[in-house]
Amino acid sequence: MFIFAVPQNHCAVIEMFGKPVSVKLSGLNFYIPFLQKIKRVTWERTHTDGKFIQLAEQIMDTPIRPCVTKDNANLEVSCVIRWRITDAKKAVYDVSDIHKFIQELVLNEMRAMIGSRNFDEVNSSRAKLSEEVVQTISKTTSRWGVNISSVEIREFHIDEATRDTMREQIAAERYKRATILKAEGDSVATKLRAQAAKDALQLTTEAEATYVSNMSRIIGQEEAVKALFNRQTLEGYKTITDNPASKVYLPANMPTMLTPQN
């Protein structure tokens, strides 16, 4: 039949004498019998063998690819690729199996990107790594009539030695954070104690000033100062004699106590 229908979001390549002459989009189409024919597309990777090429965005999983980071960590990575065909002629004639070529290109570029980074960089910036892979391979895939929408890391396996190293790093990081928090807590506590001591000293000073002022009105300023001094001296002796086993020697020139006035 020289009249045929192309499904939605598909196309068909028409050949004449082995060369592509046109691309038929979805709908009712025709070709010249005996001179033209519909190109049969065979892609081994996806077991495709038919006349119609899908133009809608497609999702393709890659096999697992072993990689080694810059600091010699062994990884196994697989990806999910979102892509679409933008030029059916290039996708059919410029490469033998577009699916296989895309997978190999993505995995090889991903392995090269991982090999140029340390494990911590790879583990913490997977999204950025995927974006860089897309940007790098876009020039090549455009020559094949393909647009890569995104590349995402699906599986990310590490060997046991790398896993042990990660555990040690996590434990060290937790210890570091705990040490910092304890130091910050001690610093805050020291500041609070210093502020409390300052406030207490200020209150004591204010109380003594009030005491001296009140006593000055009763017995005079000079006698009030002596009374305050004598009280502080007695409080000092009380402190040093709290322990009954302690021997205290009083100086011969002890301050004269306030003598009550008749």
Side-chain angles (χ1 to χ4, degrees):
M1 296 290 294
F2 61 90
I3 298 176
F4 64 100
V6 178
Q8 181 70 26
N9 288 328
H10 289 72
C11 71
V13 178
I14 304 300
E15 284 186 332
M16 186 166 62
F17 306 122
K19 293 183 179 181
V21 292
S22 63
V23 176
K24 302 298 184 179
L25 301 178
S26 58
L28 193 63
N29 297 277
F30 69 93
Y31 62 92
I32 302 173
F34 306 111
L35 296 179
Q36 297 178 338
K37 67 175 183 177
I38 302 175
K39 169 68 175 177
R40 180 170 289 276
V41 179
T42 303
W43 286 327
E44 295 179 2
R45 176 73 68 168
T46 56
H47 307 288
T48 300
D49 186 5
K51 299 178 179 179
F52 303 123
I53 302 168
Q54 185 173 341
L55 299 178
E57 185 173 77
Q58 303 178 58
I59 296 179
M60 177 169 52
D61 296 334
T62 69
I64 294 176
R65 177 64 56 88
C67 305
V68 180
T69 63
K70 188 177 179 180
D71 52 353
N72 297 321
N74 295 313
L75 311 176
E76 290 184 344
V77 177
S78 64
C79 302
V80 176
I81 307 170
R82 289 180 171 82
W83 63 288
R84 70 168 65 238
I85 293 175
T86 57
D87 190 323
K89 288 183 182 180
K90 292 181 178 180
V92 172
Y93 292 94
D94 288 3
V95 289
S96 59
D97 191 331
I98 190 64
H99 298 82
K100 178 180 179 181
F101 275 62
I102 291 175
Q103 285 184 352
E104 289 300 316
L105 180 65
V106 168
L107 288 175
N108 289 339
E109 187 60 37
M110 181 67 73
R111 181 169 60 182
M113 291 282 187
I114 290 175
S116 64
R117 290 168 166 79
N118 293 327
F119 174 76
D120 290 339
E121 297 177 67
V122 174
N123 190 40
S124 61
S125 58
R126 299 186 194 181
K128 183 179 178 181
L129 183 65
S130 300
E131 291 176 2
E132 291 182 6
V133 170
V134 173
Q135 293 174 1
T136 304
I137 68 176
S138 292
K139 186 176 180 180
T140 301
T141 57
S142 64
R143 298 202 308 266
W144 300 339
V146 171
N147 176 56
I148 304 295
S149 303
S150 66
V151 175
E152 299 175 3
I153 296 177
R154 184 185 64 177
E155 295 185 16
F156 189 83
H157 300 296
I158 58 178
D159 61 355
E160 193 61 33
T162 304
R163 190 175 288 109
D164 292 340
T165 302
M166 288 181 63
R167 293 193 188 102
E168 292 175 0
Q169 289 178 344
I170 292 173
E173 186 64 27
R174 288 176 178 172
Y175 177 76
K176 177 182 176 182
R177 286 199 298 266
T179 303
I180 292 174
L181 290 175
K182 183 178 183 303
E184 291 176 350
D186 292 343
S187 176
V188 171
T190 301
K191 291 179 180 179
L192 290 175
R193 286 194 294 267
Q195 184 63 41
K198 178 182 177 182
D199 294 341
L201 179 60
Q202 183 176 356
L203 291 174
T204 302
T205 303
E206 292 175 355
E208 290 178 349
T210 303
Y211 173 80
V212 171
S213 176
N214 293 335
M215 290 292 291
S216 297
R217 289 196 298 269
I218 300 173
I219 61 176
Q221 183 176 3
E222 182 177 353
E223 295 299 328
V225 172
K226 285 183 179 181
L228 177 61
F229 180 74
N230 291 338
R231 189 188 70 182
Q232 292 177 343
T233 301
L234 292 174
E235 289 176 353
Y237 290 147
K238 180 180 181 300
T239 300
I240 63 177
T241 56
D242 280 342
N243 187 357
S246 299
K247 294 182 178 181
V248 180
Y249 297 92
L250 299 180
N253 56 346
M254 282 185 59
T256 303
M257 308 304 293
L258 178 66
T259 303
Q261 300 290 334
N262 293 327

